[in-house]
Amino acid sequence: MPSVLGRGFFRPREKSLILLVMVTFACVCFGAIFFLPEKSALGLGAMDDLHENRVYRVYQELKNAGQDFIIPAPPRLDPAELNPNLRHGVIDRPDPHQAQDKARLLAQIEMDLEIKELRQKAAGQRVLDKPQLDLAQRSSSASPAHPPVPPVASIVIQGGSDADPDVQKRRETVSRMMKHAWDGYAKYSWGKNEVKPVSRRGHSGSIFGSSNTGATIVDGMDTLYIMGFMEEFQAGKEWIAENLNFDHMTGDISVFETNIRFVGGLVSLYSLTGDELFKEKADHVARKLLPAFNTPTGIPLALVNMRTGSSKNFGWASGASSILSEFGSLHMEFSYLSDITGDPIFRQKVEKVRDVVASAERPKGLYPNYLSPKTGKWGQFHTSMGALGDSFYEYLLKEYLRSGRKDNQAKDMFIEAANDVANQLVKISPGGLTYFAEYKYGRLEHKMDHLACFGGGMYALGAKTLKNSYENEWMKIAEGITNTCHESYDRTDTKLGPEAFRFSDAVEARAIKSTERYYILRPETFESYFVLWRLTHDQKYRDWGWEAVQALEKHCKAEGGYTGLKNVYAVDSPKDDVQQSFFLAETLKYLYLLFSDDSLMSLDEWVFNTEAHPLPIMGKNKLYRPKGSNNVQP
Ligand code: DMJ
């Protein structure tokens, strides 16, 4: 068969043209062998992978685009393009962000190590099902925008397990109660103020105004933290970051309740974590309360409208007065807030209140529960260690302690008030029970509120911290009151205490009216068990606390948390179907601390506000974090 290039098939010119094409083709093929990259050099499969890479990149970009899809993100560049300092593999000038990140990372690692050491020293970890995040993880997730908080030696804010395994088990029970209470709220009422644990839906008392302000979240967070429930804590923190905004609230809210639960809860969280978010939110909430102080005397009104700032007192309060326990329980949170924000406004407000109270002449040396914000004069002569009076006395002592024993005016006022109450209101029943009577319309009423049961702890704390000539007398009152409160529990069918109880020839430490028989998960009795336990180590306080835990489990546990009871004298009492936010803030916290060792939230380093939010003691607690101190007090 003749060749296509054979003689007679093409003309000589055509033949040379075909030859030229073939030679060129051969050269290209030959060159390709030497110059094209090898498959292996491309990593996975040369041409296929080049193609795949591009497809993959487009897919990835689409996948990651999210809202950038409409305005696409800039194309990915190689590392040298991303960071010019890395060109040619050499960092020729430091990138400030990189340096910061590196410093943070190093500090974090150091902190991690030191915290681990601290942990090993501190007795025990929590033993529940979930592993506890360590402090390094906590602060990195808590506040990426701020430098990590340096480790602090000797301050124990988690752990603190008692050496005795039986006590450990009791504490675990309290932890589980907290988990159940929180989970019920989270499942059925997240973001609302409280949960109705029986009917499993949201609940809001009038003290919170008419908006959902997540009261249980803010109130319960430090208890979660102390117990080590860090996943739940993180969820709460995210809710606070995104939703806690009093600018959007409607209706009137209680200045006192907002202060003790929200401002107190948030500043406490700030001291525990160093996370600026909590300080900023506390500042935001407290500022919203300031219009209430715009009165002729500076004594704040009870209610303030979040939108308009207009304020008023309760219609039922005698002579449009402000209430002693309310305007008298702002000092600790406001002073501390001034220290951590550097803004003196909050302290100025409460100092003015203090001066008015200190200079108003008192009938029989006692503090009446009502004071006119217009004139600065006392209203109706009604004095009580329970409702309307209680935490005013508590804050005199505790502000003195919180201020690092600098607020001497508070100390002097406390000593005087504690002695006047001891002389005029502390009584012994025929059966030998010590109780606080109340002054009403110029005569004594032999009735004691459950609320007044905090007084056992207060007198004990006063006795042991002031160590003055009244120490023994105050200690006797403390033990007597705490014993009576326990009796008020022990004399019921549910072993939970009534809202108020009376003393007469016929009854002792028992409610007599149907309106006094309820129990709304209040903490005051357990607060005194806790303080007395810490100060005396008398085993009976732990035993009494355990009785209470069992009673709560038996009578108050519901599917969606814990409920109050309408009648503590009936084993099958109807439920009130409310899980109060203070159950998480106070009741469970005090019970947990009762079964912890003394190092956890030591009373030498912390004082608890009247909602059981721990505040650091100035000069004693390195977590005080005053403004300008690089977050931790030097
Ligand atoms: C809490 O909100 C505070 O303890 C307040 O001082 C009194 N009442 C409740 C708990 O009973």
Side-chain angles (χ1 to χ4, degrees):
M1 193 180 152
S3 149
V4 284
L5 292 178
R7 197 180 299 189
F9 203 85
F10 293 110
R11 286 197 209 116
R13 267 188 84 184
E14 288 168 341
K15 274 186 197 165
S16 30
L17 198 66
I18 290 169
L19 200 64
L20 188 68
V21 169
M22 288 175 75
V23 168
T24 310
F25 179 70
C27 285
V28 169
C29 291
F30 182 75
I33 292 169
F34 289 96
F35 299 115
L36 280 183
E38 269 186 62
K39 213 175 169 176
S40 62
L42 282 173
L44 287 169
M47 304 312 283
D48 287 356
D49 286 342
L50 277 177
H51 171 72
E52 251 178 46
N53 263 357
R54 225 171 279 139
V55 171
Y56 180 73
R57 211 171 65 200
V58 171
Y59 159 76
Q60 274 298 60
E61 274 166 16
L62 279 174
K63 191 172 155 226
N64 297 336
Q67 57 187 8
D68 292 339
F69 187 62
I70 311 229
I71 309 166
R76 259 198 325 200
L77 301 172
D78 75 31
E81 282 171 290
L82 276 173
N83 181 358
N85 302 322
L86 275 180
R87 238 169 235 152
H88 318 300
V90 180
I91 297 180
D92 26 63
R93 68 191 153 85
D95 174 348
H97 302 293
Q98 265 199 344
Q100 256 176 32
D101 286 350
K102 202 174 158 192
R104 265 185 213 151
L105 191 65
L106 282 174
Q108 199 78 66
I109 292 167
E110 265 171 38
M111 180 163 77
D112 215 353
L113 290 172
E114 288 194 42
I115 291 294
K116 263 185 198 146
E117 252 174 53
L118 264 178
R119 276 273 164 73
Q120 280 160 4
K121 280 187 209 154
Q125 297 268 349
R126 27 179 269 99
V127 216
L128 276 188
D129 40 350
K130 233 174 245 176
Q132 185 178 322
L133 286 187
D134 66 21
L135 285 178
Q137 277 172 286
R138 220 182 289 140
S139 74
S140 67
S141 63
S143 183
H146 301 285
V149 178
V152 177
S154 88
I155 310 280
V156 180
I157 52 179
Q158 286 184 321
S161 183
D162 194 276
D164 180 342
D166 290 337
V167 179
Q168 281 174 23
K169 279 196 198 124
R170 292 181 172 188
R171 190 171 84 146
E172 284 163 36
T173 303
V174 181
S175 281
R176 274 192 288 272
M177 291 169 77
M178 179 68 187
K179 179 97 173 80
H180 181 68
W182 178 268
D183 286 351
Y185 166 77
K187 187 164 176 197
Y188 300 114
S189 190
W190 186 247
K192 306 266 169 51
N193 287 317
E194 293 169 329
V195 67
K196 282 179 158 294
V198 179
S199 50
R200 284 169 278 149
R201 59 201 161 93
H203 171 261
S204 193
S206 58
I207 54 169
F208 301 117
S210 44
S211 305
N212 294 319
T213 49
T216 297
I217 298 176
V218 183
D219 234 5
M221 290 262 294
D222 57 5
T223 307
L224 287 177
Y225 191 91
I226 290 165
M227 292 181 178
F229 286 112
M230 300 317 292
E231 224 175 79
E232 290 77 2
F233 180 87
Q234 185 60 24
K237 189 196 141 191
E238 277 159 26
W239 187 90
I240 289 174
E242 284 157 29
N243 302 290
L244 189 71
N245 186 344
F246 276 47
D247 291 337
H248 300 153
M249 281 181 68
T250 51
D252 299 330
I253 62 162
S254 157
V255 173
F256 161 75
E257 298 288 356
T258 305
N259 175 60
I260 64 168
R261 298 183 200 221
F262 288 83
V263 181
L266 291 163
V267 293
S268 183
L269 289 171
Y270 175 65
S271 72
L272 290 169
T273 64
D275 191 327
E276 299 281 318
L277 167 76
F278 297 124
K279 179 168 81 177
E280 283 154 18
K281 293 286 182 181
D283 181 276
H284 160 72
V285 175
R287 250 171 237 287
K288 301 291 285 182
L289 303 181
L290 294 182
F293 292 79
N294 295 334
T295 62
T297 56
I299 295 288
L301 301 173
L303 300 165
V304 61
N305 186 289
M306 288 292 101
R307 262 188 313 134
T308 62
S310 71
S311 310
K312 61 181 183 200
N313 268 338
F314 296 115
W316 52 261
S318 118
S321 293
S322 299
I323 310 288
L324 181 68
S325 63
E326 300 207 334
F327 62 76
S329 308
L330 305 167
H331 211 115
M332 292 213 288
E333 297 82 358
F334 272 47
S335 279
Y336 183 46
L337 190 56
S338 275
D339 285 346
I340 59 178
T341 58
D343 188 339
I345 185 78
F346 306 108
R347 176 176 286 111
Q348 285 161 3
K349 297 289 180 197
V350 288
E351 281 181 347
K352 192 153 183 224
V353 172
R354 168 82 66 67
D355 288 341
V356 174
V357 176
S359 59
E361 207 177 309
R362 289 171 284 139
K364 294 190 177 212
L366 294 171
Y367 287 95
N369 291 338
Y370 301 102
L371 185 74
S372 162
K374 258 194 196 155
T375 63
K377 295 218 165 18
W378 298 112
Q380 213 169 54
F381 185 25
H382 176 183
T383 296
S384 163
M385 288 298 283
L388 312 182
D390 51 8
S391 43
F392 161 74
Y393 305 94
E394 178 185 359
Y395 271 39
L396 292 177
L397 172 64
K398 288 186 174 174
E399 175 56 11
Y400 170 65
L401 299 175
R402 192 208 61 79
S403 69
R405 303 183 181 232
K406 293 209 169 69
D407 188 342
N408 285 314
Q409 184 189 35
K411 179 181 78 173
D412 296 343
M413 286 171 76
F414 176 75
I415 294 173
E416 227 185 315
N419 284 331
D420 285 335
V421 168
N423 295 334
Q424 299 186 60
L425 299 185
V426 173
K427 302 286 166 200
I428 312 277
S429 72
L433 296 180
T434 305
Y435 62 97
F436 295 119
E438 297 188 350
Y439 235 110
K440 232 175 187 175
Y441 310 114
R443 49 184 283 269
L444 277 184
E445 193 178 9
H446 297 271
K447 178 206 107 185
M448 181 171 158
D449 288 341
H450 187 292
L451 287 166
C453 286
F454 85 97
M458 183 189 73
Y459 270 92
L461 193 65
K464 296 293 176 194
T465 54
L466 301 182
K467 289 204 162 297
N468 54 25
S469 54
Y470 314 109
E471 185 181 343
N472 293 339
E473 190 193 339
W474 287 1
M475 212 49 210
K476 243 175 103 189
I477 293 173
E479 287 168 352
I481 291 290
T482 308
N483 177 59
T484 300
C485 291
H486 173 251
E487 285 297 319
S488 78
Y489 275 57
D490 203 41
R491 295 173 189 209
T492 69
D493 296 31
T494 55
K495 303 294 171 199
L496 292 165
E499 178 67 3
F501 40 93
R502 301 194 175 244
F503 298 86
S504 71
D505 293 338
V507 293
E508 296 211 348
R510 279 182 71 94
I512 52 172
K513 297 186 184 170
S514 61
T515 50
E516 296 167 346
R517 290 188 189 138
Y518 61 88
Y519 173 68
I520 57 167
L521 305 173
R522 286 202 191 277
E524 292 78 13
T525 301
F526 317 141
E527 174 180 351
S528 286
Y529 294 168
F530 159 66
V531 176
L532 268 290
W533 161 256
R534 282 280 170 104
L535 298 176
T536 66
H537 282 178
D538 185 333
Q539 177 59 31
K540 73 177 174 221
Y541 298 114
R542 276 185 163 173
D543 295 343
W544 292 349
W546 183 239
E547 286 169 14
V549 167
Q550 290 170 296
L552 286 165
E553 284 292 86
K554 189 166 173 198
H555 298 286
C556 301
K557 193 168 185 179
E559 192 181 330
Y562 290 82
T563 169
L565 304 178
K566 290 188 176 166
N567 180 7
V568 290
Y569 298 100
V571 275
D572 55 350
S573 162
K575 319 289 184 210
D576 73 1
D577 198 11
V578 178
Q579 178 174 276
Q580 306 279 344
S581 75
F582 55 66
F583 181 66
L584 292 87
E586 298 189 75
T587 310
L588 293 177
K589 190 186 284 134
Y590 284 131
L591 287 169
Y592 182 80
L593 292 174
L594 177 65
F595 299 115
S596 301
D597 77 17
D598 292 359
S599 67
L600 182 63
M601 309 308 296
S602 159
L603 291 181
D604 295 332
E605 292 153 352
W606 301 92
V607 277
F608 293 85
N609 87 340
T610 193
E611 189 77 0
H613 296 305
L615 304 178
I617 294 180
M618 190 196 280
K620 286 276 183 95
N621 188 326
K622 290 182 178 171
L623 300 180
Y624 197 85
R625 309 175 197 278
K627 172 89 175 166
S629 65
N630 196 16
N631 218 341
V632 171
Q633 195 179 20

